[in-house]
Every structure is written in C-alpha cells, then in structure tokens.
Amino acid sequence: MKNHTNFFERLANLSSFVIDSGVIYTISEHDSRKSNRVEVGERRYDLNQFMSVAAMEDLEERLYQGKMFTFTQNYVQEALQAEILSERQKDSRKDILRLQEFVLLEVLPLMIDTAYDLGELLHVDLEVKKSGREVIEDVLQLNSKEGEDVEEINVFQEKERLRQKVLERITQEIREEPYIRAEGIIKEQGEKTLWDRLVQGSICVMGGEIFGLRDIDEEEKEGEIRISIENIMYGLEYNCSASDLGEKYDQLLLNTLKQSALAQWNVETDERVMIPANEKKRRGALERLADTKNFEYGNLGYIREGELFYVYWEMPKFAMQNPLEPQRYHPFPATRVSVRVNASDGRVYHEGAYVVDEMAHPFLRDWKNRYEHICILSGGNFENTAQGIVRHISSAINAFTNGLTLKSLDEHGSRDENAMYFGRSLKETYTTVGTLTREQAVEAGYRITNEWILDGKERGEEIQGEKQ
C-alpha cells in the first residue's frame, strides 16, 4: 500500500515543527515574546498552533480512504491463503514431509495421468479412469461422501481458526509501548491516535532529525537551542531520524488496518478465501503416512530410504532384441525404474535414474545391489518439477529398454559381443540373462523392446528418443 508519504514525512520534508500534547506547532520568525517559543541563542521564534494530530490523521484517512478500503478488502484473503501455505511449509518442518507431500500430491497424480496414455506400452491396466489427483485423494481418503456436510462446517471453523491466528499475531506486532519517550506536557488521553501510540511527550523536528524534549537546569538554559512550552524551558535530545519514525508510523498504520480488517471480516459471507474442505484431512493423512516406507498404486509408487525417495515406474518383463543378431532376444524381469528425489531447505531436487531391485543388465555396474544407478552415455537436463521427474523416469525407461544400439557398442569398444560394459563383456551379460526367440518371448509374455529392424529395413543405428 506504501506508494505515498504520510503527513509526518511530508511536514518533515518542508519545515521544522514541534508536536506537543497532540498539537502540531509551526515555527515562525516573528518574535512576540509568547510563552510557547523556540530560542536559539539570543533569537526567539514563535510556536504557532497549526493543527491537531488527530485532525491530521483524519484528513489523511479521508485522502487515502480509497486505497485503504481496497487494501482491507484484499488483505484478509491474501493473509489467510498465505497462512495456509505457511502451515503447509511448517508441516514440511522437516524437509521429509515437504518431499512426501510433493511426491504424493504432485508427482504421482501426474504419473497416473500419463499412465492412461501409455497403458498399452507399459501394460498398465487401470479399470476406472479417474484423474491422478482423484486417485490419490481416494487413496488418502480425502474425498467427502455424497451428502456429507460436516466438511463444510469444518471449512468455516478452519477459516475462523486461521483468522484468529493471524489476528493474534498482528495484535502482538502493534506497538503498545511508545517508540519515543520524551518530556513535555503529556496529552490527557481520550481515544489514542496512532501518533500517541508511537510518541509520548513532546518532540521537535529540525533538518530531518527528531529531538525529544528534556528538562534542563539553570546552567543549560543558556544553551544554544531551547524550547519554552507553557513557561517551562526544555532542551533538545537527539532521538532518531524523521524517516525512521515515518516508517514506524506507516507500519503501525498498516498493522492497524490489518487488525481492523481481520476483526470485521465475516467468515460466513466472504467466499473469496478458498480453503479446501479436505484441508484438515490432507494434513492428517500426510502425517499418518510420514513414517510409511513405501507407497504403490498399480505399477507406480515410491520407496523411502531415510530422507531419499525413489519414485518408480515398474516396467513389465521385457525381451531386448540383440543388435548384432536380430533373431535373438534376451529376457529381463519386471523392473522398477526410479528417479531419486530429495529435499533441502524446503526445495525439492532430483538426480539420477536407478533400478530399484538387483538384476543383470549391461547398463548396471553391480548386479547384486539394489538402487543401482543406470549408466547411459548421453545425458539430459530435467527441471526439479513434477513434470521434470516424470519425463526423467520416462526417458530412463526408454534408454534402459531401447538403448543397446550399434552406436552404443561402438562407444564401448567394438561392434561385437566383446564390447565392454563396466568391465564385463556383452557376451557375459547375454549368457547370464539367457536367450529366446521372438516367438518364445511373446508366448512367455515378454514385452518386446530394442527392435531396430522394421519390415526388413534398418530403422537406424540408434533408436531415436530421449535418453537419460
């Protein structure tokens, strides 16, 4: 809302003045020997009553009432939505909860949506076609039953809880103790102005600086600058800059507007604050799953190892065509291909594609370890988003099942079965996994992959597609 200066800042930029007992006094060069005056050495300047601070604040409110109204109208909606996000991030107090929420509510729904399009390719059989979000909400039991109105009541309760929480915080931020304590005549309080909450006593503003008034003894009465109010002489004591006090005034005004907006907000009539009916359920479900080590839906899910999540897509068993002897096919078991995801300082990161279970494959270094990294010579960059993770998994599956090409053999030493992958020949891999004809593989239910001859013509020496 701050795109203007307040009345105090405007006055401080124009001239010197004194504020005493809730009244603004300007300083004039006319010397009429008034009791209210400023003395600089032998020279005297009159203090002339200009306007009360209360009247100035009222004028300020009228001048900017349009902006203030717009601010208060929008503030509650923005503040409560921000509080929801803040609570979610606190629920993610530990990066592990933030990560779990991200995987469950963003990555897996997108994988489920993608599975419908890739069902035939991946042998996915999803009987009821729901959106990925609906599936996860059903699994987490977040959806209300038809005709159930308990959740609507909870929404009102949730809005009221958030309103009270933000209101309490804003109220605490409103300064009860004055920012400046000075001497001089203290205004007998009726209803406090904003100014009264910031400044107690009298001040003088000169050259953009604020001086509090203080009692002086007889010797100091001969000092350079003195102010006489109601026949009492004061000296000046530096306190702060006018801009500093102006900022404090603005912050107090802002908090007061926030407090007023929250206090007057009608939870039942204002529908602009969008709090999902299942918000409490969502938090509770995530808390219940906090210690869950794995989650699966069909052929996809995640496995948690400490603070790492392996988000996987299980490929059905597949038989890769031999790029040197196309009549031979080499069988591999159903394989969970995953991407490793972690979180730090509330941000999610992912790196590397991994095979969840131990298996023999030319692209794996160790055949007897779980979570073995898939080594693909070509690389790719994937954003740290749900879309990036799903593309990463899809790319890794494609490379893992279709990446054994003639070019790959060339890059590993020779275009024959002596090509070395991780210190072992391709022949050793074939001997370990076995060999089938295409007919045998199809009859046994293997998905056929890596076919690079189509209708008797070479498709090319390298399968075209994304690789990890």
Side-chain angles (χ1 to χ4, degrees):
M1 193 187 77
K2 175 70 171 175
N3 57 4
H4 70 280
T5 54
N6 56 54
F7 78 91
F8 175 76
E9 291 170 319
R10 291 195 298 274
L11 285 175
N13 289 333
L14 291 174
S15 63
S16 299
F17 56 93
V18 172
I19 298 182
D20 169 65
S21 194
V23 177
I24 303 171
Y25 293 86
T26 59
I27 301 174
S28 69
E29 293 190 9
H30 183 66
D31 179 10
S32 61
R33 303 291 170 172
K34 289 182 178 178
S35 61
N36 294 342
R37 63 185 183 276
V38 177
E39 296 183 1
V40 182
E42 298 298 321
R43 304 186 62 180
R44 296 186 177 189
Y45 301 89
D46 286 348
L47 287 179
N48 301 303
Q49 184 170 323
F50 172 63
M51 193 177 217
S52 71
V53 172
M56 186 64 80
E57 286 187 355
D58 183 63
L59 181 62
E60 186 94 343
E61 183 178 346
R62 294 172 184 273
L63 182 62
Y64 294 105
Q65 63 181 353
K67 290 182 179 179
M68 291 180 182
F69 177 78
T70 301
F71 173 80
T72 54
Q73 287 294 296
N74 296 330
Y75 169 70
V76 176
Q77 177 187 9
E78 295 169 359
L80 268 59
Q81 296 295 163
E83 190 64 27
I84 293 173
L85 292 177
S86 173
E87 288 190 349
R88 285 182 180 177
Q89 288 168 358
K90 261 188 213 165
D91 283 343
S92 49
R93 46 188 173 212
K94 311 78 207 235
D95 287 323
I96 194 70
L97 288 181
R98 168 69 185 107
L99 183 55
Q100 182 187 49
E101 180 177 7
F102 172 75
V103 170
L104 272 173
L105 300 185
E106 296 185 46
V107 179
L108 293 188
L110 184 58
M111 290 176 70
I112 293 170
D113 290 337
T114 306
Y116 293 120
D117 298 328
L118 301 180
E120 182 180 353
L121 174 64
L122 300 179
H123 282 186
V124 177
D125 184 17
L126 301 177
E127 296 180 0
V128 180
K129 186 165 183 178
K130 292 184 178 182
S131 71
R133 172 66 69 169
E134 290 172 330
V135 168
I136 296 300
E137 288 182 344
D138 283 346
V139 171
L140 297 180
Q141 298 180 337
L142 296 182
N143 291 328
S144 302
K145 297 177 182 178
E146 186 176 354
E148 183 180 4
D149 60 1
V150 175
E151 293 301 327
E152 185 175 2
I153 296 172
N154 284 344
V155 169
F156 289 139
Q157 293 174 348
E158 186 71 355
K159 287 182 180 181
E160 178 59 22
R161 182 187 70 81
L162 291 169
R163 182 184 76 91
Q164 288 293 340
K165 186 175 179 181
V166 179
L167 180 58
E168 287 173 9
R169 187 170 64 246
I170 294 299
T171 301
Q172 289 175 359
E173 289 179 7
I174 292 179
R175 191 181 301 275
E176 290 300 326
E177 293 298 316
Y179 182 66
I180 293 178
R181 287 182 181 275
E183 296 175 1
I185 297 176
I186 306 300
K187 176 183 176 183
E188 291 185 7
Q189 296 295 349
E191 184 177 348
K192 278 189 176 182
T193 64
L194 291 179
W195 183 264
D196 294 330
R197 296 181 181 183
L198 284 175
V199 179
Q200 184 180 68
S202 304
I203 64 166
C204 176
V205 181
M206 288 185 177
E209 307 290 351
I210 294 178
F211 301 86
L213 272 59
R214 62 177 179 82
D215 288 329
I216 56 176
D217 55 29
E218 290 299 323
E219 290 76 16
E220 288 183 292
K221 289 182 181 179
E222 301 301 322
E224 237 177 71
I225 300 179
R226 303 170 303 282
I227 294 181
S228 175
I229 299 177
E230 302 297 328
N231 294 313
I232 300 175
M233 192 70 74
Y234 300 95
L236 301 183
E237 183 173 65
Y238 177 76
N239 192 285
C240 64
S241 69
S243 60
D244 184 32
L245 184 58
E247 289 177 7
K248 294 291 188 297
Y249 185 89
D250 275 336
Q251 188 58 54
L252 179 59
L253 172 60
L254 197 61
N255 282 343
T256 303
L257 290 174
K258 291 177 180 179
Q259 185 186 49
S260 175
L262 287 164
Q264 297 176 21
W265 181 59
N266 190 323
V267 64
E268 295 188 5
T269 60
D270 192 338
E271 298 179 354
R272 292 176 304 160
V273 179
M274 302 301 295
I275 298 178
N278 58 20
E279 179 68 16
K280 279 188 174 180
K281 278 189 173 182
R282 182 198 66 81
R283 289 203 303 270
L286 291 174
E287 287 285 355
R288 289 193 299 272
L289 287 172
D291 296 324
T292 302
K293 298 301 181 184
N294 56 66
F295 176 93
E296 65 179 43
Y297 176 77
N299 68 329
L300 54 84
Y302 70 76
I303 300 172
R304 176 183 163 195
E305 294 288 351
E307 296 185 354
L308 299 175
F309 280 65
Y310 290 86
V311 183
Y312 68 82
W313 211 324
E314 184 176 50
M315 283 289 298
K317 61 183 184 179
F318 60 98
M320 289 201 307
Q321 185 185 49
N322 188 311
L324 297 170
E325 299 181 53
Q327 74 278 10
R328 299 170 59 195
Y329 289 77
H330 303 286
F332 295 88
T335 307
R336 289 185 287 181
V337 176
S338 69
V339 166
R340 187 161 72 186
V341 188
N342 58 32
S344 178
D345 296 329
R347 299 187 64 183
V348 173
Y349 303 90
H350 75 279
E351 54 83 20
Y354 298 81
V355 170
V356 170
D357 305 298
E358 60 183 67
M359 67 176 293
H361 190 284
F363 294 167
L364 301 178
R365 181 185 298 276
D366 194 326
W367 293 352
K368 295 183 178 181
N369 274 340
R370 301 187 73 203
Y371 307 116
E372 190 64 21
H373 183 258
I374 301 173
C375 180
I376 308 296
L377 289 175
S378 58
N381 294 318
F382 302 93
E383 296 177 348
N384 290 309
T385 61
Q387 291 83 356
I389 291 172
V390 174
R391 286 199 307 111
H392 196 168
I393 297 174
S394 176
S395 175
I397 290 173
N398 180 57
F400 195 65
T401 57
N402 293 298
L404 192 59
T405 63
L406 294 178
K407 182 178 179 182
S408 172
L409 294 174
D410 291 340
E411 291 172 336
H412 284 80
S414 59
R415 189 175 288 201
D416 55 45
E417 291 187 355
N418 291 319
M420 301 296 289
Y421 290 80
F422 294 114
R424 66 176 70 90
S425 67
L426 192 57
K427 182 178 181 179
E428 182 180 348
T429 302
Y430 290 157
T431 301
T432 301
V433 301
T435 301
L436 299 172
T437 65
R438 194 180 198 283
E439 291 73 18
Q440 290 173 326
V442 171
E443 185 177 351
Y446 285 92
R447 190 70 178 164
I448 304 301
T449 65
N450 207 48
E451 288 189 302
W452 54 281
I453 291 184
L454 186 65
D455 297 330
K457 297 180 181 179
E458 287 194 3
R459 189 190 301 178
E461 290 196 351
E462 181 179 13
I463 298 294
Q464 297 299 315
E466 291 183 308
K467 293 182 182 179
Q468 186 242 357

